Coordinates of all heavy atoms in Angstrom, one line a residue:
L148 N -1.9 19.6 -8.0 CA -2.9 18.6 -8.0 C -3.5 18.3 -9.3 O -3.7 17.1 -9.7 CB -4.0 19.0 -7.0 CG -5.0 18.0 -6.6 CD1 -4.4 16.8 -5.8 CD2 -6.1 18.6 -5.7
D149 N -3.7 19.4 -10.1 CA -4.3 19.2 -11.4 C -3.3 18.4 -12.3 O -3.8 17.7 -13.2 CB -4.5 20.6 -12.0 CG -5.8 21.3 -11.4 OD1 -6.5 20.5 -10.8 OD2 -5.9 22.5 -11.5
D150 N -2.0 18.7 -12.2 CA -1.0 17.9 -13.0 C -1.2 16.4 -12.8 O -1.2 15.6 -13.7 CB 0.4 18.2 -12.5 CG 0.9 19.5 -13.2 OD1 0.2 20.1 -14.0 OD2 2.0 20.0 -12.8
V151 N -1.4 16.0 -11.5 CA -1.5 14.6 -11.2 C -2.8 14.0 -11.8 O -2.8 13.0 -12.3 CB -1.5 14.4 -9.6 CG1 -1.7 12.9 -9.3 CG2 -0.1 14.9 -9.1
L152 N -3.9 14.8 -11.6 CA -5.2 14.3 -12.1 C -5.1 14.2 -13.7 O -5.7 13.3 -14.2 CB -6.3 15.3 -11.7 CG -6.5 15.5 -10.2 CD1 -7.5 16.5 -9.9 CD2 -7.0 14.1 -9.6
E153 N -4.4 15.1 -14.3 CA -4.2 15.1 -15.7 C -3.5 13.9 -16.2 O -3.9 13.2 -17.1 CB -3.4 16.4 -16.1 CG -3.2 16.6 -17.6 CD -4.5 17.1 -18.2 OE1 -5.3 17.8 -17.6 OE2 -4.8 16.6 -19.4
L154 N -2.4 13.5 -15.5 CA -1.6 12.3 -15.8 C -2.5 11.1 -15.6 O -2.4 10.2 -16.5 CB -0.4 12.2 -14.9 CG 0.7 13.2 -15.2 CD1 1.7 13.3 -14.0 CD2 1.5 12.8 -16.5
S155 N -3.3 11.0 -14.6 CA -4.2 9.9 -14.4 C -5.2 9.8 -15.5 O -5.4 8.7 -16.0 CB -4.9 10.0 -13.0 OG -4.0 10.0 -12.0
D156 N -5.8 10.9 -15.9 CA -6.7 10.9 -17.0 C -6.1 10.4 -18.3 O -6.8 9.7 -19.1 CB -7.2 12.3 -17.3 CG -8.3 12.8 -16.3 OD1 -8.8 11.9 -15.5 OD2 -8.6 14.0 -16.2
R157 N -4.8 10.6 -18.5 CA -4.2 10.2 -19.7 C -3.7 8.8 -19.6 O -3.1 8.2 -20.5 CB -3.0 11.1 -20.0 CG -3.3 12.5 -20.4 CD -2.2 13.1 -21.4 NE -0.9 12.9 -20.8 CZ -0.3 13.9 -20.2 NH1 -0.9 15.1 -20.0 NH2 1.0 13.7 -19.7
G158 N -3.9 8.1 -18.4 CA -3.5 6.7 -18.3 C -2.1 6.5 -17.9 O -1.5 5.4 -17.9
E159 N -1.4 7.6 -17.5 CA 0.0 7.6 -17.0 C 0.0 7.4 -15.5 O 0.5 8.3 -14.8 CB 0.7 8.9 -17.4 CG 0.5 9.3 -18.8 CD 1.7 9.0 -19.7 OE1 2.6 8.2 -19.2 OE2 1.8 9.5 -20.8
Y160 N -0.4 6.2 -15.0 CA -0.6 6.0 -13.6 C 0.7 6.0 -12.8 O 0.7 6.7 -11.8 CB -1.4 4.7 -13.4 CG -2.5 4.5 -14.3 CD1 -2.7 3.4 -15.1 CD2 -3.6 5.5 -14.3 CE1 -3.7 3.3 -16.0 CE2 -4.6 5.3 -15.2 CZ -4.7 4.2 -16.0 OH -5.8 4.1 -16.8
Q161 N 1.7 5.4 -13.3 CA 2.9 5.3 -12.6 C 3.6 6.7 -12.6 O 4.3 7.0 -11.6 CB 3.8 4.2 -13.1 CG 3.4 2.8 -12.7 CD 3.8 1.8 -13.6 OE1 3.3 1.6 -14.7 NE2 4.8 1.0 -13.2
V162 N 3.5 7.4 -13.7 CA 4.0 8.8 -13.7 C 3.3 9.6 -12.7 O 4.0 10.4 -12.0 CB 3.9 9.4 -15.2 CG1 4.6 10.7 -15.2 CG2 4.6 8.4 -16.2
A163 N 2.0 9.5 -12.6 CA 1.2 10.3 -11.6 C 1.7 9.9 -10.2 O 1.9 10.8 -9.4 CB -0.3 9.9 -11.8
C164 N 1.9 8.7 -10.0 CA 2.4 8.2 -8.6 C 3.8 8.8 -8.3 O 4.1 9.2 -7.2 CB 2.4 6.7 -8.6 SG 2.7 5.9 -7.0
T165 N 4.7 8.7 -9.3 CA 6.0 9.3 -9.1 C 6.0 10.8 -8.8 O 6.7 11.3 -8.0 CB 6.9 9.0 -10.4 OG1 6.7 7.6 -10.7 CG2 8.3 9.3 -10.2
K166 N 5.1 11.4 -9.5 CA 4.9 12.9 -9.4 C 4.4 13.2 -7.9 O 4.9 14.1 -7.3 CB 3.8 13.4 -10.4 CG 3.5 14.8 -10.3 CD 4.1 15.5 -11.5 CE 4.1 17.0 -11.3 NZ 5.0 17.7 -12.1
V167 N 3.5 12.4 -7.4 CA 3.0 12.6 -6.1 C 4.2 12.4 -5.1 O 4.3 13.1 -4.2 CB 1.8 11.6 -5.8 CG1 1.5 11.6 -4.3 CG2 0.6 12.0 -6.5

Side-chain angles (χ1 to χ4, degrees):
L148 190 63
D149 287 343
D150 278 354
V151 176
L152 297 175
E153 185 70 36
L154 285 165
S155 298
D156 282 344
R157 289 212 308 265
E159 310 257 17
Y160 313 122
Q161 284 156 286
V162 183
C164 189
T165 309
K166 179 106 194 163
V167 167

